[in-house]
Amino acid sequence: MGGYGWPQSGSADRGALKGLPNNTEAEANVLAAMLLSGEVVEEALVELLPDDFYRPSHKTIFIAMGGMYEANTPIDSISLIDCLRSIDKLEAVGGEAYVLELMGNTLALANWQHHAKIVRRDAMLREIIGATNQISALAYDAPTDTKEVIERAESMLLSVTGREVKSAYRTLSDFMDEAYAEAEEVAAAGGEVHGAPTGYPSLDRMLMGLREGQLVVVGARPAVGKTSFALNLALNAAAEGYTVGFFSLEMSGKEIAQRFICAQAMVNMSNFRTGRISPQEWGNINEAIRELGSLDILIDDTPGTTVTEIRAKARRMLHNKQKSLIILDYLQLVNPPAGRNYGGNRAFEVSEMSRGLKIMAKELNVPVIMLSQLNRSLEGRTGKRPQMSDLRESGSIEQDADIVMLLDRSTSEAEAERDDRPDFGVTRVIVAKNRSGPIGDVDLMFLPASTKFYELEQHAVE
């Protein structure tokens, strides 16, 4: 299996004499797509290795782009030419003319994934040929013990197929050990929260905290306060030593900072923005800024991002962090992957993105809190209590989620007078789904001026 070493000259000529499987046009299309899209770069670097490229010049270009990606250098024709020139490889790959030729192949984006599969398939076939040649030579010059021949032959073939057949299985005993260890930890802690705390005791007892690999969906109608709730979750987890990666696709980082400061200092948001701040409030604000400065909260406010970009950024954010979680505000603002054609089916797009975020939670082994809008149709329903079926644009969101929390509140005092509606000023957190425990309601007092939530009392239902 190939590493990221530079190719040796003449390897293609030796392969050509033996007629090894290859498709250099597919290789060129993959490289062209990488030049045209940063999202393709990340996916291609996951799917392919340098030795998958048959032509040495293509391997060289792939290695160069991999190095640029690791260095966080923008990948375009000018930067790639400069990189190749700096390592004295530009002429070896065909000069500036070939790089520009790749850049001009704008159709490469349409089918790059299929072409990547062709590149990987041919590379695997070459590896199988190499392995069988070695096995054949070993059989002709076999040691006395044939078991050794069989073992070495199996090892060679497994080294080839290992990438294609990813062995993710483990024994039941392994998983039982993990389950037992978790039970011991929870028991030792007196049944307290095992995962990232929400900061609300009744909610934490119900969920046992937000745990690694979970996708947690927080749904609400517009203007009900789902972003404020997410910011409170971020503050509460960070105060317990968690690193929080906050992806905001709606508000700017400065707006988020304003909300954090006002929530922590208990200062009216409107007064903060207009400068109507008393001397006492300035003291509270300065103290809040000192306290917030010690928290490990990382904010990305890039608009129009994709799940792939979020996954790549989250990996860097949480690298070497012991306790962490991700918050995304919110799903419907995430862009679908470039080059994918969903035929205008937005529900299918959202389903794919939701599934991608669940995969990210498992890969990074962190809880991912995903905010989602609810359909406005519930406004016409008697009672207006939200249900999982109200999650906007995709029924698969509730399938992917481990926990679904729906926020509900009365929009007027007259509405709050009804028996089936929350009291005025109360936000009801409806735990509509909980794979690992009970469902039920928890009432929180919401102070809109400072965007702060406080627990009132528990309404959990087994």
Side-chain angles (χ1 to χ4, degrees):
M1 304 288 283
Y4 276 79
W6 296 103
Q8 300 299 314
S9 61
S11 60
D13 294 334
R14 289 193 297 273
L17 292 173
K18 297 179 181 179
L20 294 177
N22 71 92
N23 190 320
T24 55
E25 290 182 358
E27 293 176 6
N29 278 2
V30 171
L31 296 174
M34 291 174 70
L35 269 172
L36 294 166
S37 167
E39 185 175 322
V40 172
V41 171
E42 184 184 30
E43 291 190 45
L45 290 174
V46 171
E47 294 297 323
L48 298 171
L49 290 175
D51 279 349
D52 291 345
F53 290 83
Y54 178 77
R55 181 179 285 179
S57 60
H58 290 165
K59 179 177 178 179
T60 298
I61 293 171
F62 185 80
I63 294 169
M65 285 197 277
M68 293 168 70
Y69 175 82
E70 291 296 329
N72 208 24
T73 301
I75 297 176
D76 52 49
S77 58
I78 295 173
S79 301
L80 178 58
I81 288 170
D82 180 67
C83 174
L84 290 167
R85 184 181 286 118
S86 70
I87 57 177
D88 200 26
K89 298 274 187 183
L90 181 59
E91 295 308 313
V93 304
E96 293 185 19
Y98 189 65
V99 175
L100 294 174
E101 180 183 336
L102 290 175
M103 191 72 180
N105 183 10
T106 55
L107 296 178
L109 279 173
N111 297 306
W112 82 267
Q113 288 165 316
H114 176 65
H115 294 147
K117 288 179 181 177
I118 293 173
V119 171
R120 178 62 202 135
R121 178 202 66 195
D122 286 348
M124 190 177 74
L125 292 174
R126 293 196 300 271
E127 291 167 7
I128 290 173
I129 290 170
T132 53
N133 286 339
Q134 292 181 56
I135 292 170
S136 178
L138 181 64
Y140 276 111
D141 189 24
T144 306
D145 188 358
T146 55
K147 290 182 181 178
E148 182 182 344
V149 178
I150 294 171
E151 182 180 348
R152 289 172 64 181
E154 287 180 340
S155 176
M156 289 177 192
L157 287 175
L158 283 173
S159 69
V160 173
T161 60
R163 263 178 69 196
E164 299 303 312
V165 185
K166 295 184 172 79
S167 178
Y169 61 81
R170 292 160 58 196
T171 67
L172 173 60
S173 295
D174 288 341
F175 290 111
M176 286 195 296
D177 288 343
E178 289 184 7
Y180 187 84
E182 179 175 315
E184 280 189 318
E185 288 181 31
V186 174
E192 295 299 318
V193 173
H194 182 64
T198 66
Y200 306 109
S202 297
L203 199 55
D204 281 332
R205 283 191 293 271
M206 192 180 297
L207 304 176
M208 291 302 293
L210 309 175
R211 280 163 283 172
E212 297 89 343
Q214 286 185 330
L215 178 62
V216 181
V217 174
V218 176
R221 290 169 290 140
V224 167
K226 61 182 179 296
T227 298
S228 296
F229 182 63
L231 292 173
N232 276 252
L233 294 179
L235 277 178
N236 295 341
E240 294 296 322
Y242 279 75
T243 298
V244 179
F246 198 105
F247 290 88
S248 174
L249 279 67
E250 186 172 40
M251 291 194 303
S252 70
K254 184 179 75 173
E255 290 176 300
I256 292 172
Q258 288 174 337
R259 291 194 176 212
F260 275 142
I261 292 169
C262 291
Q264 189 76 2
M266 294 298 295
V267 170
N268 184 288
M269 175 78 71
S270 177
N271 291 347
F272 183 86
R273 286 175 170 167
T274 57
R276 296 194 298 269
I277 303 171
S278 70
Q280 175 62 40
E281 287 176 327
W282 274 120
N284 294 341
I285 289 169
N286 288 327
E287 178 63 24
I289 288 174
R290 279 193 294 272
E291 292 171 351
L292 292 169
S294 65
L295 303 181
D296 196 3
I297 300 177
L298 309 170
I299 300 170
D300 186 297
D301 62 357
T302 307
T305 191
T306 66
V307 171
T308 302
E309 291 167 339
I310 291 169
R311 287 167 69 177
K313 291 175 179 177
R315 271 191 214 100
R316 291 195 290 270
M317 274 183 177
L318 308 183
H319 183 61
N320 288 334
K321 303 291 187 179
Q322 296 300 313
K323 300 192 300 182
S324 52
L325 63 87
I326 294 291
I327 299 176
L328 171 64
D329 181 19
Y330 56 90
L331 176 65
Q332 283 77 18
L333 291 180
V334 178
N335 278 354
R340 299 277 184 89
N341 183 8
Y342 294 97
N345 189 332
R346 177 60 178 167
F348 188 69
E349 285 182 0
V350 173
S351 296
E352 289 288 291
M353 293 186 288
S354 170
R355 193 167 298 112
L357 290 166
K358 172 58 181 175
I359 292 170
M360 180 181 80
K362 292 193 71 176
E363 282 183 348
L364 300 182
N365 199 33
V366 300
V368 173
I369 302 171
M370 176 181 77
L371 275 57
S372 177
Q373 286 188 337
L374 298 182
N375 293 314
R376 290 185 180 272
S377 59
L378 71 88
E379 295 285 353
R381 189 167 63 230
T382 302
K384 297 184 182 180
R385 179 182 171 94
Q387 304 167 0
M388 281 198 290
S389 58
D390 295 320
L391 288 167
R392 187 172 170 185
E393 294 176 318
S394 176
S396 71
I397 295 175
E398 62 184 87
Q399 296 173 18
D400 295 325
D402 298 284
I403 294 171
V404 176
M405 291 186 280
L406 306 173
L407 307 186
D408 187 23
R409 68 179 174 87
S410 299
T411 56
S412 67
E413 292 190 33
E415 182 183 334
E417 292 294 323
R418 289 167 35 189
D419 292 339
D420 59 353
R421 302 298 297 141
D423 293 339
F424 193 66
V426 168
T427 295
R428 180 158 294 163
V429 181
I430 303 166
V431 180
K433 180 180 181 180
N434 181 10
R435 286 195 202 274
S436 304
I439 60 174
D441 300 349
V442 173
D443 282 354
L444 304 178
M445 176 62 74
F446 178 49
L447 305 180
S450 59
T451 69
K452 189 80 172 178
F453 284 87
Y454 291 97
E455 181 174 341
L456 285 178
E457 57 182 322
Q458 184 179 10
H459 293 281
V461 180
E462 294 292 337

